[in-house]
PDB file of all heavy atoms in Angstrom:
ATOM      1  N   ARG A   4     -15.064  62.366  51.671  1.00 33.00           N
ATOM      2  CA  ARG A   4     -14.647  63.814  51.563  1.00 33.00           C
ATOM      3  C   ARG A   4     -13.490  64.135  52.381  1.00 33.00           C
ATOM      4  O   ARG A   4     -13.146  65.305  52.552  1.00 33.00           O
ATOM      5  CB  ARG A   4     -15.831  64.654  51.970  1.00 33.00           C
ATOM      6  CG  ARG A   4     -17.013  64.384  51.015  1.00 33.00           C
ATOM      7  CD  ARG A   4     -18.289  64.806  51.534  1.00 33.00           C
ATOM      8  NE  ARG A   4     -19.129  65.629  50.729  1.00 33.00           N
ATOM      9  CZ  ARG A   4     -18.903  66.846  50.406  1.00 33.00           C
ATOM     10  NH1 ARG A   4     -17.786  67.447  50.677  1.00 33.00           N
ATOM     11  NH2 ARG A   4     -19.723  67.612  49.710  1.00 33.00           N
ATOM     12  N   GLN A   8     -10.252  69.703  50.418  1.00 30.00           N
ATOM     13  CA  GLN A   8      -9.680  70.852  51.106  1.00 30.00           C
ATOM     14  C   GLN A   8     -10.716  71.540  51.996  1.00 30.00           C
ATOM     15  O   GLN A   8     -11.894  71.326  51.787  1.00 30.00           O
ATOM     16  CB  GLN A   8      -9.160  71.869  50.036  1.00 30.00           C
ATOM     17  CG  GLN A   8     -10.274  72.735  49.359  1.00 30.00           C
ATOM     18  CD  GLN A   8     -11.030  71.959  48.336  1.00 30.00           C
ATOM     19  OE1 GLN A   8     -10.968  70.772  48.273  1.00 30.00           O
ATOM     20  NE2 GLN A   8     -11.660  72.713  47.424  1.00 30.00           N
ATOM     21  N   LEU A  20     -16.125  95.344  57.435  1.00 32.00           N
ATOM     22  CA  LEU A  20     -17.077  94.480  56.709  1.00 32.00           C
ATOM     23  C   LEU A  20     -17.084  93.108  57.217  1.00 32.00           C
ATOM     24  O   LEU A  20     -17.778  92.280  56.649  1.00 32.00           O
ATOM     25  CB  LEU A  20     -16.799  94.561  55.229  1.00 32.00           C
ATOM     26  CG  LEU A  20     -16.855  95.893  54.595  1.00 32.00           C
ATOM     27  CD1 LEU A  20     -16.511  95.841  53.113  1.00 32.00           C
ATOM     28  CD2 LEU A  20     -18.232  96.497  54.722  1.00 32.00           C
ATOM     29  N   ARG A  62     -19.845  78.761  43.277  1.00 84.00           N
ATOM     30  CA  ARG A  62     -20.938  79.111  42.344  1.00 84.00           C
ATOM     31  C   ARG A  62     -22.206  79.426  43.154  1.00 84.00           C
ATOM     32  O   ARG A  62     -22.958  80.363  42.869  1.00 84.00           O
ATOM     33  CB  ARG A  62     -21.221  77.888  41.407  1.00 84.00           C
ATOM     34  CG  ARG A  62     -21.441  78.283  40.002  1.00 84.00           C
ATOM     35  CD  ARG A  62     -21.560  77.029  39.125  1.00 84.00           C
ATOM     36  NE  ARG A  62     -22.885  76.498  39.218  1.00 84.00           N
ATOM     37  CZ  ARG A  62     -23.941  76.983  38.629  1.00 84.00           C
ATOM     38  NH1 ARG A  62     -23.875  78.018  37.922  1.00 84.00           N
ATOM     39  NH2 ARG A  62     -25.122  76.384  38.659  1.00 84.00           N
ATOM     40  N   ARG A  66     -24.331  82.750  43.302  1.00 86.00           N
ATOM     41  CA  ARG A  66     -25.696  82.777  42.848  1.00 86.00           C
ATOM     42  C   ARG A  66     -26.611  83.556  43.823  1.00 86.00           C
ATOM     43  O   ARG A  66     -27.518  84.281  43.460  1.00 86.00           O
ATOM     44  CB  ARG A  66     -26.196  81.358  42.754  1.00 86.00           C
ATOM     45  CG  ARG A  66     -27.422  81.212  41.862  1.00 86.00           C
ATOM     46  CD  ARG A  66     -27.922  79.779  41.855  1.00 86.00           C
ATOM     47  NE  ARG A  66     -29.382  79.735  41.850  1.00 86.00           N
ATOM     48  CZ  ARG A  66     -30.103  79.771  42.996  1.00 86.00           C
ATOM     49  NH1 ARG A  66     -29.484  79.756  44.141  1.00 86.00           N
ATOM     50  NH2 ARG A  66     -31.411  79.739  42.923  1.00 86.00           N
ATOM     51  N   PRO A  84     -27.526  80.405  25.123  1.00 79.00           N
ATOM     52  CA  PRO A  84     -26.393  80.995  24.507  1.00 79.00           C
ATOM     53  C   PRO A  84     -26.623  82.534  24.318  1.00 79.00           C
ATOM     54  O   PRO A  84     -27.787  82.896  23.927  1.00 79.00           O
ATOM     55  CB  PRO A  84     -26.235  80.265  23.159  1.00 79.00           C
ATOM     56  CG  PRO A  84     -27.088  79.088  23.341  1.00 79.00           C
ATOM     57  CD  PRO A  84     -28.155  79.346  24.348  1.00 79.00           C
ATOM     58  N   PHE A  89     -28.121  90.682  33.001  1.00 89.00           N
ATOM     59  CA  PHE A  89     -28.211  91.997  32.317  1.00 89.00           C
ATOM     60  C   PHE A  89     -28.678  93.016  33.383  1.00 89.00           C
ATOM     61  O   PHE A  89     -29.425  92.641  34.337  1.00 89.00           O
ATOM     62  CB  PHE A  89     -29.223  91.978  31.191  1.00 89.00           C
ATOM     63  CG  PHE A  89     -28.779  91.144  30.099  1.00 89.00           C
ATOM     64  CD1 PHE A  89     -28.911  89.691  30.097  1.00 89.00           C
ATOM     65  CD2 PHE A  89     -28.249  91.710  28.943  1.00 89.00           C
ATOM     66  CE1 PHE A  89     -28.498  88.930  29.030  1.00 89.00           C
ATOM     67  CE2 PHE A  89     -27.786  90.942  27.910  1.00 89.00           C
ATOM     68  CZ  PHE A  89     -27.939  89.526  27.895  1.00 89.00           C
ATOM     69  N   GLN A 109     -49.630  98.220  60.554  1.00 86.00           N
ATOM     70  CA  GLN A 109     -50.162  99.590  60.906  1.00 86.00           C
ATOM     71  C   GLN A 109     -50.629 100.229  59.670  1.00 86.00           C
ATOM     72  O   GLN A 109     -50.041 101.212  59.184  1.00 86.00           O
ATOM     73  CB  GLN A 109     -49.129 100.392  61.657  1.00 86.00           C
ATOM     74  CG  GLN A 109     -48.797  99.855  63.005  1.00 86.00           C
ATOM     75  CD  GLN A 109     -47.623 100.607  63.619  1.00 86.00           C
ATOM     76  OE1 GLN A 109     -47.006 101.393  63.004  1.00 86.00           O
ATOM     77  NE2 GLN A 109     -47.313 100.256  64.833  1.00 86.00           N
ATOM     78  N   PRO A 110     -51.715  99.705  59.101  1.00 89.00           N
ATOM     79  CA  PRO A 110     -52.139 100.227  57.792  1.00 89.00           C
ATOM     80  C   PRO A 110     -52.623 101.655  57.887  1.00 89.00           C
ATOM     81  O   PRO A 110     -53.170 102.024  58.915  1.00 89.00           O
ATOM     82  CB  PRO A 110     -53.238  99.284  57.429  1.00 89.00           C
ATOM     83  CG  PRO A 110     -53.797  98.756  58.749  1.00 89.00           C
ATOM     84  CD  PRO A 110     -52.617  98.760  59.624  1.00 89.00           C
ATOM     85  N   ALA A 132     -50.592 119.090  31.898  1.00 95.00           N
ATOM     86  CA  ALA A 132     -51.351 119.971  30.946  1.00 95.00           C
ATOM     87  C   ALA A 132     -50.561 120.205  29.706  1.00 95.00           C
ATOM     88  O   ALA A 132     -49.490 120.686  29.769  1.00 95.00           O
ATOM     89  CB  ALA A 132     -51.756 121.251  31.664  1.00 95.00           C
ATOM     90  N   ALA A 137     -51.119 111.917  21.846  1.00 93.00           N
ATOM     91  CA  ALA A 137     -52.329 111.434  21.372  1.00 93.00           C
ATOM     92  C   ALA A 137     -52.590 109.986  21.827  1.00 93.00           C
ATOM     93  O   ALA A 137     -53.759 109.629  22.281  1.00 93.00           O
ATOM     94  CB  ALA A 137     -52.424 111.465  19.835  1.00 93.00           C
ATOM     95  N   GLU A 158     -69.961  92.506  40.967  1.00 85.00           N
ATOM     96  CA  GLU A 158     -68.631  92.234  40.391  1.00 85.00           C
ATOM     97  C   GLU A 158     -68.283  93.326  39.348  1.00 85.00           C
ATOM     98  O   GLU A 158     -67.172  93.832  39.333  1.00 85.00           O
ATOM     99  CB  GLU A 158     -68.596  90.841  39.700  1.00 85.00           C
ATOM    100  CG  GLU A 158     -68.026  89.768  40.606  1.00 85.00           C
ATOM    101  CD  GLU A 158     -66.823  90.156  41.357  1.00 85.00           C
ATOM    102  OE1 GLU A 158     -65.811  90.502  40.728  1.00 85.00           O
ATOM    103  OE2 GLU A 158     -66.833  90.102  42.588  1.00 85.00           O
ATOM    104  N   GLU A 160     -69.530  96.264  39.186  1.00 86.00           N
ATOM    105  CA  GLU A 160     -69.352  97.545  40.001  1.00 86.00           C
ATOM    106  C   GLU A 160     -67.878  97.616  40.433  1.00 86.00           C
ATOM    107  O   GLU A 160     -67.242  98.614  40.281  1.00 86.00           O
ATOM    108  CB  GLU A 160     -70.236  97.455  41.226  1.00 86.00           C
ATOM    109  CG  GLU A 160     -70.152  98.753  42.083  1.00 86.00           C
ATOM    110  CD  GLU A 160     -71.004  99.837  41.660  1.00 86.00           C
ATOM    111  OE1 GLU A 160     -72.129  99.540  41.171  1.00 86.00           O
ATOM    112  OE2 GLU A 160     -70.645 101.028  41.805  1.00 86.00           O
ATOM    113  N   MET A 197     -56.573  97.671  50.023  1.00 86.00           N
ATOM    114  CA  MET A 197     -57.274  97.687  51.300  1.00 86.00           C
ATOM    115  C   MET A 197     -58.632  97.075  51.216  1.00 86.00           C
ATOM    116  O   MET A 197     -59.380  97.331  50.326  1.00 86.00           O
ATOM    117  CB  MET A 197     -57.413  99.143  51.774  1.00 86.00           C
ATOM    118  CG  MET A 197     -56.126  99.828  52.222  1.00 86.00           C
ATOM    119  SD  MET A 197     -56.329 101.555  52.542  1.00 86.00           S
ATOM    120  CE  MET A 197     -57.335 101.473  54.049  1.00 86.00           C
ATOM    121  N   ILE A 220     -63.773 113.527  32.648  1.00 93.00           N
ATOM    122  CA  ILE A 220     -63.908 114.071  31.254  1.00 93.00           C
ATOM    123  C   ILE A 220     -63.479 115.493  31.145  1.00 93.00           C
ATOM    124  O   ILE A 220     -62.711 115.932  30.253  1.00 93.00           O
ATOM    125  CB  ILE A 220     -65.395 113.896  30.765  1.00 93.00           C
ATOM    126  CG1 ILE A 220     -65.641 112.423  30.406  1.00 93.00           C
ATOM    127  CG2 ILE A 220     -65.615 114.807  29.552  1.00 93.00           C
ATOM    128  CD1 ILE A 220     -67.039 112.074  30.233  1.00 93.00           C
ATOM    129  N   LYS A 227     -55.837 118.555  27.818  1.00 95.00           N
ATOM    130  CA  LYS A 227     -55.716 118.711  26.449  1.00 95.00           C
ATOM    131  C   LYS A 227     -55.491 120.148  26.019  1.00 95.00           C
ATOM    132  O   LYS A 227     -54.657 120.487  25.201  1.00 95.00           O
ATOM    133  CB  LYS A 227     -56.888 118.113  25.693  1.00 95.00           C
ATOM    134  CG  LYS A 227     -56.592 117.818  24.176  1.00 95.00           C
ATOM    135  CD  LYS A 227     -57.833 117.037  23.612  1.00 95.00           C
ATOM    136  CE  LYS A 227     -57.384 115.740  22.945  1.00 95.00           C
ATOM    137  NZ  LYS A 227     -58.511 114.858  22.667  1.00 95.00           N
ATOM    138  N   GLU A 251     -67.285 108.476  54.307  1.00 87.00           N
ATOM    139  CA  GLU A 251     -68.633 108.106  54.728  1.00 87.00           C
ATOM    140  C   GLU A 251     -68.864 106.616  54.776  1.00 87.00           C
ATOM    141  O   GLU A 251     -69.345 106.084  55.755  1.00 87.00           O
ATOM    142  CB  GLU A 251     -69.613 108.721  53.733  1.00 87.00           C
ATOM    143  CG  GLU A 251     -70.113 110.076  54.143  1.00 87.00           C
ATOM    144  CD  GLU A 251     -70.952 110.711  53.007  1.00 87.00           C
ATOM    145  OE1 GLU A 251     -71.319 109.928  52.066  1.00 87.00           O
ATOM    146  OE2 GLU A 251     -71.236 111.935  53.080  1.00 87.00           O
ATOM    147  N   ILE A 255     -68.404 101.950  58.366  1.00 55.00           N
ATOM    148  CA  ILE A 255     -68.657 100.512  58.530  1.00 55.00           C
ATOM    149  C   ILE A 255     -67.366  99.955  59.187  1.00 55.00           C
ATOM    150  O   ILE A 255     -66.215 100.335  58.831  1.00 55.00           O
ATOM    151  CB  ILE A 255     -68.834  99.873  57.148  1.00 55.00           C
ATOM    152  CG1 ILE A 255     -70.068 100.558  56.467  1.00 55.00           C
ATOM    153  CG2 ILE A 255     -69.097  98.391  57.287  1.00 55.00           C
ATOM    154  CD1 ILE A 255     -70.054 100.345  54.952  1.00 55.00           C
TER     155      ILE A 255
END
Side-chain angles (χ1 to χ4, degrees):
Chain A
R4 297 158 129 292
Q8 77 282 19
L20 299 178
R62 222 176 81 75
R66 199 184 142 272
F89 295 80
Q109 292 173 353
E158 264 317 303
E160 180 86 35
M197 287 173 70
I220 286 168
K227 197 171 233 164
E251 268 172 10
I255 305 159

